RNA sequence: GGGCCGUUAGCUCAGCGGUAGAGCGUCCGCCUUACACGCGGCAGGUCGGGGGUUCGAAUCCCUCACGGCCCACCA
């Protein structure tokens, strides 16, 4: 016998262990025609524990995987984690800082060793949490974006793209994070609107004392790197100055005035200071006017401080201090015309939120247009779909305006770029900050002149940058792109090779994930069977960073979209719609939720709110309803079990597909609930195919609770409490059968409790599967049935109206009533009367009999469909109350009749609306008329 | 500057062309031998404002207001 209430803990532990032991989540390449259904997990970064967003993401994937298994497909869910690049390195650096350590003090090798340890530990935490969630991941396939097989994929991809001319090295304006000390790609920059100032600065016109060109800028500190002032060529105010020179204040340098269409004459003063080294637009202006102005002057360094080129007095100051000083100096010189408040958006690092410094730097880049075209093509040809499709717009838009991808990062944690430089030929382009020495040394010098071993250079260097490679046309052809150290240099025969010190953007390996997890570029059996994968489930925040890039890489390398469907779910927010964050203190820990209310309840509460693309406002309260539902499932099974023989002679036959022919012992309720079950399984399949998780979960919930429990179980009690016989056996058969199939439909959402109950029912169902997930769901049939289930509707209506009468007149719940009915003998009435046993049982009646000729005195009245019920209640009820109740009812029905009369009297409606609609309303009108007549009669009788 | 999404019962949200729904909450009555994590019942919405299309609009179109998000080379 099952316990009175469901207690999740033991059940979850038991089945987690059993699934693991039995390999329930394993999938294998097959050649027996079974279809593959594949999902690769969005690999969580190894930055810590999983949050509720991960719980949602993985629950939805598990729902799909379990569903597809139940549908008979070879469903494979590949687990893994992501090394997480900057994010993870930041976590470790913070830890080191608390111990008064730094990565530089440790050195690269030791730091990486620490990172690997951390990764292992973190991966353990993550996998433990996924296990707790019930995620049926095939653990034999566990992958990590930086493990050896993935490194092979990454190197191969890099090498191939380089050969194809898609990866190149160039000196470009990049987004530099001065805190993380690395370049970032364009999409790793977030923009925040901030209040700032607009400084209007007078630049004296050369040779014309007292004459100024006033420029407006939000960043006065960068003026030290100005190489020109630009005005719009159409701007009459400044036309005369084009080609002339102005004196750059503070620096006392003459710079030209150039004409460029980029300048908006309406903004500020219409004159724009041009700082090519620190502003992307200015960089472009410089490229258009190289002949007229000098090259970029870098006044801000990688550390975010003013460089030597900024001049004495400024060098070494932070950007903020330099800004203040520039403003003060200008003021003192009388060159500051005015300061205005000005709001503008500034770029910040998506990992540390520090203000990004745009600066010119040499990096590895990837040309993206050719790949973006392929991704657009796949979308166009419907080989790739986004759910909901509202994401197609932004996705397409991004691809159409794609820019080259800055691939290199100046951090240590990541795939080291597989580019090798010959120390003899190109060692002079590798710049090393050497401890105890001013400025930089070249690698060539250190290795050849100072005879320091290459390995020691790498271990002891404070920083290593490569510069000048892109400008030396011969250098790139000498660079070797490969994973292992190359043999003798083709040019000089030297054997000293230095691997590029930078690592790849973490998203480069992520982009290859659906390929790399199956061993690509090797044509493994798994790769052939499971690639391309089926569905990707992820949040919209990484649509460009990850989804689009996987599409591009997958299509580029295999010609096939790496997944056909991307399900874009929302973000889990707090109850008031705010993003959860540690600093706001509004995070909900998934583990605590599972501890307190059970994993199934937690999963269900998330799934039930997972409407396509919608964010989920989540409060702990959300889970209570789901917990109650779990208990309802538990107790309905408990009830069924209690009513079964301890040892069945043989299992009950399945109810699937039954009901077309008369079944021994079956009656209306059996046909009805079977038909409803069939409809539910059809509906669930349809909703799942459209990734409508919330609606699917809700459909099962409503069926089990509102139909199976509230009506069918109650009706089954009539036979279960009666004598043995065909009827009782039929009730048992249907209870077991319907419950069993419902458990299957519910299993993807609530795996633990359904497993427990499915297993408990096995002696009665004869199910053979080891685990529920290995059982089969089947699409339900759509009638006809030997007994039409339709009469259940009027029966339910009759029950509801008598119950309402009882409740509203305060009839003692235990009092069994003798009820009389009257009608006109229509088909529908007969259907109800034929089920008077149902009505009597559910509405707690002693009897239900025809009223005969007259209307019984001293009775209350209820109408349902075409029937009127009289409940003789002399001495029990207050007839004033009954009168009021009836008047209210008359008023309500009367209002509906008035509305219908208006509609049916409208010639336009009658002639233009569909026939079925018109006759439906006419039918309702007739029914209302009868009900009203009946109620008014009663009112008259009551006086 | 461009684009997208939202505005429905006290709260959180479904519905998206044919008489307004759920969960939670409120209220009334029930320990009716599966479940008080339950059962039965009542109350509570002019579906953000305005205009249009339609026999008919919460549902389609236009417009406004208020939220939220995304993109963009807003000095």
């Amino acid at each position: 016998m099952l316990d009175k209430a469901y207690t999740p803990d033991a059940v979850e532990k038991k089945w987690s262990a059993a699934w693991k032991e039995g390999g329930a989540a394993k999938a294998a390449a097959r050649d027996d025609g079974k279809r593959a259904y594949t999902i690769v997990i969005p690999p969580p970064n190894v930055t810590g524990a999983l949050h509720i967003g991960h719980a949602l993401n993985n629950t939805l994937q598990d729902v799909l995987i379990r569903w597809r298994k139940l549908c008979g497909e070879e469903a494979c869910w590949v687990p893994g984690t992501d090394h997480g690049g900057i994010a993870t390195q930041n976590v470790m650096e913070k830890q080191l800082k608390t111990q008064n350590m730094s990565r530089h003090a440790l050195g690269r090798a030791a730091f990486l060793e620490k990172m690997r340890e951390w990764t292992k530990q973190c991966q353990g935490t993550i996998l433990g949490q996924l296990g707790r969630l019930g995620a049926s991941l095939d653990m034999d396939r566990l992958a990590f974006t930086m493990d050896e097989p993935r490194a092979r994929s990454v190197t191969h991809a890099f090498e191939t793209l380089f050969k194809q001319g898609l990866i190149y090295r160039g000196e470009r304006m990049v987004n530099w994070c001065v805190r993380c000390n690395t370049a970032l790609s364009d999409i790793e920059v977030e923009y925040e609107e901030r209040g700032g100032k607009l400084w209007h600065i007078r630049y004296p016109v050369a040779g014309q004392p007292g004459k100024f060109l006033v420029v407006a800028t939000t960043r006065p500190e960068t003026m030290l790197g100005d190489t020109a002032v630009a005005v719009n060529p159409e701007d009459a105010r400044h036309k005369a100055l084009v080609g002339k020179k102005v004196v750059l204040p503070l620096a006392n340098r003459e710079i030209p005035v150039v004409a460029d269409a980029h300048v908006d004459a309406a903004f500020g003063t219409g004159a724009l200071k041009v700082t090519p080294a620190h502003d992307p637009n200015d960089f472009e202006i410089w490229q258009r006017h190289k002949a007229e102005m000098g090259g970029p002057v870098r006044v801000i360094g990688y550390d975010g401080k003013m460089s030597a080129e900024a001049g004495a007095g400024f060098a070494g100051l932070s950007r903020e201090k330099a800004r203040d000083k520039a403003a003060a100096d200008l003021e003192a010189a009388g060159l500051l015309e005015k300061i205005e408040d000005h709001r503008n958006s500034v770029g910040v690092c998506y990992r540390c939120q520090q203000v990004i410094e745009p600066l010119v730097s040499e990096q590895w880049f990837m040309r993206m247009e050719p790949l973006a075209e392929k991704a657009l093509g796949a979308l166009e040809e419907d080989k790739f779909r986004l759910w909901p499709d509202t994401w197609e717009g932004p996705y397409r838009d991004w691809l159409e305006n794609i820019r080259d991808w800055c691939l290199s990062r100046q951090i240590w944690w990541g795939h080291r770029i597989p580019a090798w430089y010959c120390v003899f030929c190109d060692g002079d382009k590798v710049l090393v900050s050497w401890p105890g020495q001013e400025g930089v040394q070249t690698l060539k010098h250190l290795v050849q002149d100072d005879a320091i071993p290459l390995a020691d250079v790498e271990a002891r260097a404070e920083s290593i940058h490569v510069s000048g490679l892109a400008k030396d046309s011969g250098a790139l052809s000498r660079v070797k792109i490969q994973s292992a150290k190359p043999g003798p240099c083709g040019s000089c025969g030297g054997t000293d090779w230095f691997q590029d010190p930078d690592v790849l953007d973490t998203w480069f390996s992520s982009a290859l994930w659906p390929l790399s997890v199956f061993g690509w570029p090797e044509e493994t059996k798994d790769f052939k069977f499971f690639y391309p994968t089926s569905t990707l489930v992820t949040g919209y925040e990484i649509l460009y960073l990850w989804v689009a890039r996987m599409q591009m890489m997958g299509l580029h390398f295999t010609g096939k979209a790496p997944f056909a469907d991307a399900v874009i779910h929302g973000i889990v927010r707090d109850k008031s719609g705010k993003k959860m964050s540690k600093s706001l203190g509004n995070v909900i820990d998934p583990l605590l939720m599972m501890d307190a209310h059970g994993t199934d309840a937690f999963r269900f509460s998330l799934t039930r709110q997972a409407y396509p693309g919608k964010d989920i406002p989540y409060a702990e309260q959300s889970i209570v309803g789901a917990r109650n539902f779990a208990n309802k499932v538990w107790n309905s099974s408990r009830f069924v079990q209690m009513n079964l023989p301890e040892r069945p002679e043989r299992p009950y036959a399945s109810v699937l597909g039954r009901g077309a022919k008369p079944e021994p012992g079956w009656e209306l309720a059996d046909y009805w609930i079977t038909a409803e079950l069939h409809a539910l399984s059809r509906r669930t399949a349809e909703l799942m195919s459209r990734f409508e998780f919330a609606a699917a979960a809700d459909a099962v919930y409503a069926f089990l609770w509102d139909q199976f429990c509230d009506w069918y179980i109650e009706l089954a009690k009539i036979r279960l409490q009666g004598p043995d016989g065909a009827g009782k056996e039929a009730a048992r058969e249907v209870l077991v059968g319907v419950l069993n199939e419902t458990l299957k439909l519910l299993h993807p959402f609530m795996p633990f409790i359904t497993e427990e109950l499915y297993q408990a029912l096995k002696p009665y169902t004869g199910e053979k599967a080891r685990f529920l997930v290995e059982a089969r769901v089947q699409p339900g049939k759509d009638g006809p049935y030997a007994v039409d289930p339709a009469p259940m509707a009027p029966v339910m209506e009759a029950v509801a109206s008598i119950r309402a009468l009882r409740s509203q007149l305060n009839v003692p719940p235990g009092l069994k009533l003798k009820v009389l009915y009257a009608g006109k003998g229509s088909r529908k009435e007969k259907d109800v009367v034929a089920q008077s046993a149902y009505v009597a049982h559910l509405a707690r009646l002693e009897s239900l009999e025809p009223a005969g000729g007259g209307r019984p005195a001293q009775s209350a009245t209820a109408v349902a469909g075409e029937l009127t019920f009289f409940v003789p209640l002399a001495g029990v009820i207050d007839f004033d109350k009954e009168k009021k109740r009836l008047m209210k009812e008359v008023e309500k029905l009367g209002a509906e009749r008035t509305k219908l009369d208006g509609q049916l009297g409208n010639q336009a409606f009658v002639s233009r609306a569909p026939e079925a609609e018109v006759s439906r309303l006419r039918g309702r009108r007739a029914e209302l008329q009868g009900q009203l007549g009946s109620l008014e009669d009663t009112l008259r009788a009551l006086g």
Side-chain angles (χ1 to χ4, degrees):
Chain A
M1 171 72 111
L2 299 171
D3 290 341
K4 195 170 172 182
Y6 174 56
T7 44
D9 196 46
V11 170
E12 289 173 18
K13 285 203 172 81
K14 175 167 124 196
W15 292 111
S16 286
W19 292 336
K20 196 172 171 187
E21 178 73 16
K26 296 225 184 314
R30 312 174 67 108
D31 47 19
D32 58 1
K34 204 174 174 190
R35 279 179 52 190
Y37 179 79
T38 317
I39 297 180
V40 292
I41 195 172
N45 283 350
V46 285
T47 45
L50 300 187
H51 53 66
I52 198 167
H54 291 112
L56 169 69
N57 177 250
N58 288 298
T59 295
L60 297 183
Q61 290 174 78
D62 195 51
V63 167
L64 286 172
I65 287 289
R66 287 179 187 270
W67 172 252
R68 293 299 189 125
K69 277 195 182 173
L70 284 162
C71 291
E73 294 178 8
E74 185 70 10
C76 177
W77 188 14
V78 183
T81 50
D82 196 310
H83 65 278
I86 301 169
T88 314
Q89 177 164 322
N90 282 353
V91 168
M92 176 59 67
E93 290 197 77
K94 265 186 205 154
Q95 283 180 23
L96 289 175
K97 206 172 173 189
T98 62
Q99 301 156 28
N100 264 321
M101 287 284 295
S102 75
R103 70 177 160 113
H104 293 283
L106 274 176
R108 188 162 185 157
F111 179 77
L112 291 180
E113 191 46 44
K114 265 195 171 304
M115 290 295 294
R116 277 187 282 268
E117 269 168 45
W118 162 258
T119 296
K120 222 174 174 180
Q121 181 194 331
C122 196
Q123 199 170 58
T125 306
I126 290 171
L127 296 180
Q129 284 181 299
L130 289 171
R132 184 70 203 282
L133 195 63
S136 44
L137 292 152
D138 182 354
M139 282 306 184
D140 291 348
R141 299 176 180 279
L142 181 63
F144 175 55
T145 53
M146 238 168 83
D147 61 16
E148 213 277 320
R150 265 43 71 182
R152 278 201 300 273
S153 303
V154 165
T155 309
H156 176 79
F158 192 94
E159 193 180 340
T160 307
L161 292 165
F162 182 76
K163 277 189 194 141
Q164 292 170 336
L166 292 169
I167 285 182
Y168 64 91
R169 191 157 173 99
E171 188 172 50
R172 296 277 198 93
M173 178 66 68
V174 298
N175 306 292
W176 187 268
C177 176
V178 302
R179 206 225 56 90
C180 300
N181 231 291
T182 182
L184 297 172
S185 66
D186 294 326
I187 37 176
E188 290 172 302
V189 180
E190 290 173 356
Y191 289 89
E192 282 178 11
E193 178 122 322
R194 291 193 181 177
K197 306 269 186 220
L198 192 60
W199 282 268
H200 292 243
I201 305 169
R202 298 179 180 135
Y203 283 25
V205 179
Q208 296 182 41
K211 192 153 190 268
F212 302 101
L213 179 55
V214 180
V215 302
T217 179
T218 55
R219 299 196 60 193
E221 75 279 12
T222 64
M223 67 183 290
L224 300 159
D226 283 3
T227 58
V229 172
V231 298
N232 191 290
E234 310 296 319
D235 191 341
R237 293 171 300 175
H238 305 304
K239 220 163 193 168
L241 287 173
V242 175
K244 300 260 176 9
K245 303 247 175 191
V246 293
V247 178
L248 181 63
L250 306 186
N252 247 335
R253 248 180 21 233
E254 285 196 359
I255 53 174
V257 177
V258 301
D260 193 281
H262 169 262
V263 180
D264 176 3
F267 186 93
T269 61
L272 167 71
K273 61 188 272 311
V274 181
T275 321
H278 298 288
D279 184 283
N281 293 315
D282 294 5
F283 187 76
E284 283 175 20
I285 293 175
W286 167 65
Q287 292 194 312
R288 289 191 288 267
H289 299 272
K290 276 183 183 171
E292 301 152 69
M293 63 175 98
V297 179
R298 288 189 46 169
V299 294
I300 301 170
Y302 291 126
D303 57 2
K305 296 202 166 107
M306 305 306 287
S307 69
E309 286 187 80
F314 282 95
L317 293 183
S318 70
R319 290 174 292 179
E320 296 73 20
K321 289 219 171 85
R323 179 174 305 174
D324 296 341
K325 180 171 163 59
D329 289 1
L330 289 167
E331 176 85 79
L335 294 175
L336 194 54
E337 184 156 298
K338 64 174 171 179
I339 307 172
E340 289 176 327
D341 286 332
H342 181 68
R343 287 193 74 78
N344 66 340
S345 64
V346 298
V348 298
C349 171
Y350 81 139
R351 289 304 183 206
C352 74
Q353 313 301 316
Q354 294 295 305
V355 176
I356 288 295
E357 185 60 45
L359 48 77
V360 176
S361 175
E362 186 175 311
Q363 304 285 342
W364 289 99
F365 292 91
M366 181 165 164
R367 274 184 62 209
M368 299 305 289
E369 305 95 317
L371 283 82
E373 266 174 40
K374 290 177 191 173
L376 284 165
L379 188 69
E380 219 48 60
E381 290 160 27
D382 206 32
K383 290 184 175 137
F384 171 56
R385 295 168 291 271
L386 287 151
W387 303 81
D389 63 6
T390 43
W391 287 108
E392 279 181 17
Y395 176 81
R396 182 179 290 117
D397 197 52
W398 187 75
L399 287 170
E400 282 170 351
N401 296 294
I402 199 151
R403 284 175 289 174
D404 285 4
W405 179 7
C406 176
L407 292 178
S408 38
R409 298 288 176 276
Q410 286 66 50
I411 58 172
W412 289 350
W413 181 237
H415 287 278
R416 195 149 169 184
I417 290 176
W420 296 83
Y421 312 130
C422 171
V423 172
F424 182 81
C425 300
D426 294 310
D428 58 329
K429 301 181 186 77
V430 180
L431 309 178
V432 184
S433 302
W434 198 239
Q437 299 209 26
E438 273 292 304
V440 292
Q441 306 288 315
T442 68
L443 181 69
K444 193 170 178 172
H445 171 78
L446 288 169
V447 173
Q448 297 195 336
D449 302 344
D450 295 350
I452 298 171
L454 201 50
D456 285 4
V457 175
E458 192 163 325
R460 291 168 56 197
E462 277 168 358
S463 72
I464 307 180
H465 285 283
V466 179
S467 178
L469 205 64
K471 287 176 192 153
D472 177 345
S473 55
L476 275 185
S477 64
R478 290 191 296 270
V479 170
K480 294 283 181 202
I481 304 295
Q482 58 191 73
S483 56
K485 187 178 159 184
C489 172
S491 304
C492 70
T495 54
D496 278 341
W497 292 92
F498 177 70
Q499 187 174 3
D500 195 297
D502 292 353
V503 301
L504 283 165
D505 182 356
T506 189
W507 295 105
F508 188 84
S509 52
S510 310
L512 299 168
W513 188 241
L515 296 162
S516 67
V517 295
F518 296 115
W520 179 87
E522 260 181 76
E523 287 267 319
T524 63
K525 208 176 156 200
D526 276 351
F527 182 73
K528 284 185 202 149
F529 187 69
F530 290 116
Y531 186 92
T533 73
S534 313
T535 309
L536 181 87
V537 181
T538 191
Y540 52 76
E541 68 275 18
I542 50 177
L543 182 61
Y544 311 133
L545 280 166
W546 193 46
V547 180
R549 282 164 171 172
M550 280 191 287
Q551 280 294 321
M552 289 190 283
M553 290 290 204
L555 286 159
H556 182 71
F557 286 118
T558 72
K560 291 174 190 159
F563 38 89
D565 297 293
V567 177
I568 309 297
H569 61 243
I571 289 171
V572 183
R573 296 173 177 276
D574 76 2
K575 204 192 169 199
S576 58
K578 286 198 198 69
K579 241 180 173 164
M580 287 188 188
S581 74
K582 280 180 197 155
S583 56
L584 282 174
N586 60 353
V587 291
I588 291 178
D589 181 350
L591 284 176
L592 293 181
M593 290 293 106
M594 291 188 269
D595 286 344
H597 310 285
T599 298
D600 288 322
F602 180 55
R603 289 172 56 122
F604 199 78
S605 67
L606 286 170
T607 314
R608 210 179 173 202
Q609 295 180 80
Y611 290 95
K614 292 278 177 72
D615 286 350
I616 298 177
Y618 199 88
E620 183 160 0
Q621 195 200 26
S622 309
I623 205 172
V624 174
R627 194 272 318 261
N628 294 351
F629 177 56
N631 196 241
K632 191 73 182 174
V633 176
W634 183 261
N635 271 291
S636 54
S637 300
R638 186 164 169 257
F639 174 80
V640 171
Q641 227 185 54
M642 281 169 57
N643 284 284
L644 294 173
E646 202 152 314
R647 216 172 291 251
E649 279 174 37
R650 65 182 117 75
Y652 295 100
S654 164
V655 296
L656 277 182
R658 302 271 297 280
K661 285 180 283 192
E663 306 280 356
W666 280 35
E667 55 185 49
L668 175 64
D670 303 312
Y671 290 96
W672 169 74
I673 197 67
T674 301
E676 292 292 337
L677 172 71
H678 287 153
L680 173 71
S681 69
R682 283 197 307 275
R683 178 158 168 73
T684 306
E686 188 197 316
L687 289 168
M688 290 301 286
S689 74
R690 296 202 307 262
F691 308 108
E692 302 214 24
F693 303 102
D698 207 55
V700 181
Y701 176 101
F703 171 80
L704 191 129
W705 200 317
D706 303 340
Q707 300 193 92
F708 185 64
C709 289
D710 286 355
W711 294 95
Y712 185 74
I713 283 185
E714 292 308 319
L715 288 176
K717 283 177 181 171
I718 300 172
R719 282 175 288 168
L720 293 172
Q721 285 157 200
D724 289 352
K728 185 182 268 190
E729 279 307 296
R732 288 170 169 169
E733 172 187 25
V734 174
L735 281 168
V736 169
V738 172
L739 176 61
N740 191 236
E741 293 308 319
T742 309
L743 290 173
K744 291 179 189 174
L745 296 174
L746 185 58
H747 182 256
F749 308 101
M750 298 184 129
F752 293 102
I753 191 174
T754 50
E755 184 76 86
E756 175 75 9
L757 297 171
Y758 169 82
Q759 299 286 354
L761 281 181
K762 262 183 171 175
Y764 307 97
T765 57
E767 290 270 350
K768 296 287 188 296
R770 290 184 308 159
F771 301 114
L772 174 45
V773 80
E774 289 166 0
R776 291 287 165 271
V777 297
Q778 277 163 36
K781 70 194 278 291
D782 188 11
Y785 292 89
V787 170
D788 182 8
M792 270 302 285
V795 167
M796 291 157 96
E797 199 186 333
V799 170
S801 73
I802 298 174
R803 278 175 172 171
L805 177 149
R806 292 184 67 120
S807 181
Q808 285 163 39
L809 295 180
N810 298 322
V811 177
L815 185 64
K816 298 237 175 174
L817 303 173
K818 288 182 188 173
V819 173
L820 302 168
Y821 67 86
K824 295 173 205 138
S826 74
R827 175 68 208 275
K828 261 168 101 178
E829 282 170 50
K830 284 181 180 156
D831 282 342
V832 176
V833 171
Q835 306 303 145
S836 59
Y838 285 4
V839 179
H841 178 74
L842 296 171
R844 313 203 112 224
L845 310 184
E846 187 185 304
S847 61
L848 180 63
E849 283 163 6
R855 148 180 317 273
Q858 299 283 29
S859 64
T861 308
V863 291
E866 288 154 18
L867 279 172
T868 302
F869 298 101
F870 302 108
V871 188
L873 284 166
V876 180
I877 58 159
D878 175 346
F879 279 95
D880 279 341
K881 209 169 182 180
E882 168 67 350
K883 239 157 105 178
K884 276 186 195 136
R885 193 183 73 90
L886 292 179
M887 284 194 287
K888 201 174 165 192
E889 189 70 9
V890 166
E891 199 179 322
K892 202 172 110 191
L893 298 180
E896 194 185 338
R897 181 177 60 183
T898 307
K899 194 176 167 184
L900 281 180
D901 283 345
Q903 213 166 342
L904 289 166
N906 181 347
Q907 195 47 43
F909 171 74
V910 176
S911 60
R912 296 204 199 184
E915 189 58 44
E917 187 58 20
V918 177
S919 68
R920 213 196 84 224
L921 294 191
R922 284 198 173 122
R924 176 65 185 148
R925 171 68 175 73
E927 189 175 276
L928 272 175
Q929 189 60 30
Q931 293 178 342
L932 278 163
S934 193
L935 291 174
E936 279 156 2
D937 283 351
T938 302
L939 273 172
R940 264 194 299 279
L942 287 172

